[in-house]
Amino acid sequence: MKAFESYLLGSVKLNNRIVMAPLTRSRAIDNIPNELMKTYYSQRATAGLIITEGTSPSINGLGYARIPGAYTDSQIEGWKNIAEGVHEKGGKIFVQLMHTGRVSSSFNIPKGGKILAPSAVQLTTNEMYTDQKGFQPHDTPNPMTLEEIKTTQNEFVMASKKLIDSGIDGIELHAANGYLLNQFLNPKTNLRKDDYGGNYKNRARFVLELARSVANEIGADKVGIRFSPYGVFNDMLGDYEELVEAYTYLANELRKLGIAYIHLVDQIDAMGAPEFATDIQKTIKDAFQGSIIVGGGVNTIEQAEDLLNKGYDLVYIGRPYISNPNMVEKLKTKSPLTIPNPDTFYTPGEVGYTDYV
């Protein structure tokens, strides 16, 4: 079966074509990757590729409680320890760099941080959990100055370099699901009148400049990016004029950079989004002409094989990986999957985290 074949992703050889998708788990006390997280990721190292939970390159991007960072020495040392644990089990691991942008509460931002976004558009459709005061409204973000745009891009570059130097195999830039990079791409959250706003090419400028800078620093073959076209999570505009043209443009420009992959999120299963209005996955695949990761609602080997047989290269599996650390083995043997407990998705500690077998 294709799913169990090895695959060369950029410069990284994967043992199979099953990808553990990024999953926010909120176990990084004081935003530092820890020994418990090493156990969690090492348990799942039989995945062809692990893409970690969203990890902030900056104090300003820590919008959620207890998510990890990658900008201090202690954080980088924590990721080095995790990489060693995964590699000892024969796995490969990319860190997903995620800046939450407007999806933030000031209670979750450490002292000295600032909530930044392309424009001062508050997220009002839901609230943000904080350890101090429970659920709280999202703060109205500060619109980024040109200097803050360059500083933020540099923070991504520095975090990427430190992570690669620590032994992490690659970096995924999170440009999906309503976070900072997606906020630049989407006309609902990007109301700028300068070179970073307006038409879709201007809205893509931040993302493409960032991808180019990271690729130049660590090598394009170690860089991936995640998109969520038609996604509505975090109150994004799901469909808009020239959406197809915008993502075709992004795919073409990223092809020129030679990055390792594009990872496409299907929000229908986990996030209640409507179905894609067009065959956007194929459109992006044809334009990019490189490795594409797809998935969404994959629970069986037949579903994974169907996507691979359609010409996609790797298949991501998300929430089932929470409660099935041996997912690849279960797919091979067609064993029943353990159902995860949503009450422990984001709670601190090992319960619902490392105690699944």
Side-chain angles (χ1 to χ4, degrees):
M1 288 186 171
K2 289 183 178 180
F4 306 128
E5 295 173 354
S6 62
Y7 187 81
L8 188 62
L9 183 66
S11 59
V12 180
K13 186 176 181 180
L14 310 182
N15 291 327
N16 56 67
R17 298 189 183 207
I18 301 299
V19 176
M20 176 181 165
L23 295 160
T24 297
R25 303 306 313 277
S26 297
R27 262 67 176 191
I29 307 303
D30 296 326
N31 308 114
I32 299 172
N34 51 46
E35 196 69 24
L36 184 63
M37 291 170 61
K38 177 182 180 179
T39 299
Y40 170 76
Y41 284 115
S42 298
Q43 287 175 337
R44 290 154 179 81
T46 54
L49 175 65
I50 291 173
I51 306 175
T52 74
E53 61 212 277
T55 299
S56 182
S58 164
I59 192 174
N60 300 325
L62 295 168
Y64 290 107
R66 289 173 268 105
I67 65 170
Y71 55 88
T72 70
D73 289 345
S74 57
Q75 289 167 346
I76 297 300
E77 189 63 29
W79 282 119
K80 179 181 179 181
N81 188 37
I82 290 171
E84 289 173 351
V86 171
H87 291 157
E88 286 171 3
K89 296 290 185 67
K92 301 294 183 182
I93 183 168
F94 277 39
V95 168
Q96 185 193 72
L97 288 180
M98 175 185 77
H99 189 302
T100 55
R102 73 170 188 155
V103 187
S104 301
S105 166
S106 55
F107 289 101
N108 293 334
I109 302 291
K111 185 178 180 181
K114 185 178 183 181
I115 298 175
L116 300 172
S119 305
V121 181
Q122 185 183 15
L123 173 56
T124 59
T125 56
N126 54 51
E127 294 187 326
M128 170 66 71
Y129 177 80
T130 71
D131 284 333
Q132 301 95 320
K133 291 183 176 290
F135 284 94
Q136 293 292 309
H138 293 83
D139 290 60
T140 300
N142 297 280
M144 296 169 75
T145 65
L146 292 178
E147 181 180 1
E148 287 168 336
I149 284 176
K150 295 304 178 187
T151 297
T152 301
Q153 290 174 335
N154 288 336
E155 289 168 342
F156 273 87
V157 172
M158 290 306 300
S160 299
K161 182 181 188 305
K162 290 177 180 178
L163 287 164
I164 294 299
D165 288 347
S166 77
I168 292 292
D169 297 298
I171 301 300
E172 178 175 280
L173 302 174
H174 196 1
N177 296 0
Y179 301 113
L180 182 68
L181 277 63
N182 193 192
Q183 290 162 30
F184 270 96
L185 296 175
N186 197 290
K188 182 172 184 176
T189 48
N190 185 343
L191 308 180
R192 301 178 70 93
K193 304 299 183 183
D194 59 10
D195 289 344
Y196 291 92
N199 64 60
Y200 69 80
K201 290 186 179 181
N202 277 359
R203 297 199 308 272
R205 189 182 305 275
F206 179 89
V207 172
L208 292 174
E209 285 181 349
L210 175 56
R212 184 177 299 109
S213 295
V214 172
N216 287 341
E217 183 66 40
I218 67 172
D221 59 346
K222 297 182 181 67
V223 180
I225 193 164
R226 195 184 207 203
F227 290 130
S228 55
Y230 297 112
V232 297
F233 187 64
N234 282 320
D235 196 32
M236 301 304 283
L237 185 61
D239 198 358
Y240 48 86
E241 187 178 357
E242 297 182 320
L243 181 148
V244 174
E245 290 84 352
Y247 279 96
T248 302
Y249 171 71
L250 283 162
N252 276 314
E253 294 302 306
L254 292 167
R255 172 178 49 79
K256 296 174 187 176
L257 291 180
I259 67 169
Y261 69 83
I262 293 177
H263 178 184
L264 298 174
V265 184
D266 183 340
Q267 293 186 353
I268 297 169
D269 183 60
M271 301 173 185
E275 292 188 7
F276 294 143
T278 67
D279 193 354
I280 193 69
Q281 292 177 324
K282 185 178 186 302
T283 298
I284 291 173
K285 171 71 172 173
D286 290 346
F288 183 57
Q289 298 176 15
S291 296
I292 297 287
I293 304 174
V294 296
V298 174
N299 296 287
T300 67
I301 188 59
E302 289 79 12
Q303 290 169 322
E305 287 292 313
D306 180 59
L307 291 171
L308 294 172
N309 288 330
K310 287 179 179 177
Y312 301 108
D313 304 286
L314 299 165
V315 176
Y316 76 79
I317 297 177
R319 289 185 177 180
Y321 249 116
I322 290 175
S323 51
N324 298 276
N326 56 341
M327 173 61 70
V328 172
E329 290 76 6
K330 286 193 172 184
L331 291 174
K332 285 181 178 178
T333 59
K334 300 187 179 182
S335 300
L337 299 184
T338 301
I339 304 301
N341 178 7
D343 292 339
T344 58
F345 280 177
Y346 311 113
T347 52
E350 65 182 24
V351 177
Y353 189 60
T354 56
D355 58 350
Y356 290 108
V357 293

